[in-house]
Amino acid sequence: MSEHERTIMAVDDQGREVMIDIQISVKELGELTPAGPVSGEPALRTREGHPVTYLGGGEFSVTLPGDETDLIVRTDDPDFT
């Protein structure tokens, strides 16, 4: 089960905006674990569904179909800077 956690905006060097959706996978393990649901690693995708990799320091790499190199975008979101 995946849950939409939040969306952040990132911008490339030419000023193009990319919306990145952060999905968190949550699994209910039932009665075996008293801690409740367990969260997995967040999955990052653009609004259009393209894969995104967090590079650190507010930078993300977006893989676009047909492009030889990934698009590098940056955010000033405090959770990623």
Side-chain angles (χ1 to χ4, degrees):
M1 171 188 216
S2 235
E3 294 183 9
H4 179 256
E5 180 73 15
R6 62 185 283 219
T7 299
I8 61 170
M9 183 183 69
V11 181
D12 73 0
D13 289 336
Q14 297 177 1
R16 294 178 291 193
E17 296 178 350
V18 175
M19 301 303 284
I20 299 173
D21 290 329
I22 302 167
Q23 303 283 335
I24 303 293
S25 176
V26 179
K27 295 180 181 178
E28 183 64 54
L29 299 179
E31 297 176 13
L32 296 178
T33 141
V38 174
S39 294
E41 287 295 314
L44 306 172
R45 296 226 178 257
T46 66
R47 276 280 156 89
E48 295 78 23
H50 304 302
V52 176
T53 303
Y54 180 55
L55 302 175
E59 287 191 343
F60 296 86
S61 174
V62 180
T63 303
L64 298 173
D67 286 354
E68 290 182 19
T69 59
D70 288 351
L71 176 66
I72 303 298
V73 294
R74 292 167 188 80
T75 186
D76 59 359
D77 186 293
D79 288 341
F80 292 96
T81 54

